[in-house]
Amino acid sequence: MRFLSSLLLILCASPAVASQFDRPIPQSQSATAELWFGLASVVLIAALGLVHHLVMRK
């Protein structure tokens, strides 16, 4: 019985039984997402400039 269960486990774990891996396809960005990303980048650079100005003032 032990041999039969071992053989069954080996056969079930074989690559022939496993399904093939499908790579995920990346989705392209929409124009709205690119607009928000650009706006956030400009705001971040402005905030960094403001922090630089405040630190240099002291």
Side-chain angles (χ1 to χ4, degrees):
M1 189 66 177
R2 182 179 283 175
F3 175 74
L4 183 59
S5 62
S6 298
L7 181 64
L8 184 62
L9 281 173
I10 290 171
L11 289 176
C12 286
S14 69
V17 178
S19 63
Q20 187 167 349
F21 176 72
D22 293 328
R23 288 187 164 196
I25 299 170
Q27 299 294 324
S28 60
Q29 280 188 319
S30 64
T32 307
E34 289 182 7
L35 176 70
W36 281 110
F37 181 78
L39 183 63
S41 299
V42 169
V43 170
L44 177 64
I45 291 170
L48 287 174
L50 179 64
V51 169
H52 174 70
H53 177 69
L54 290 173
V55 169
M56 293 303 293
R57 217 171 93 188
K58 287 196 171 202

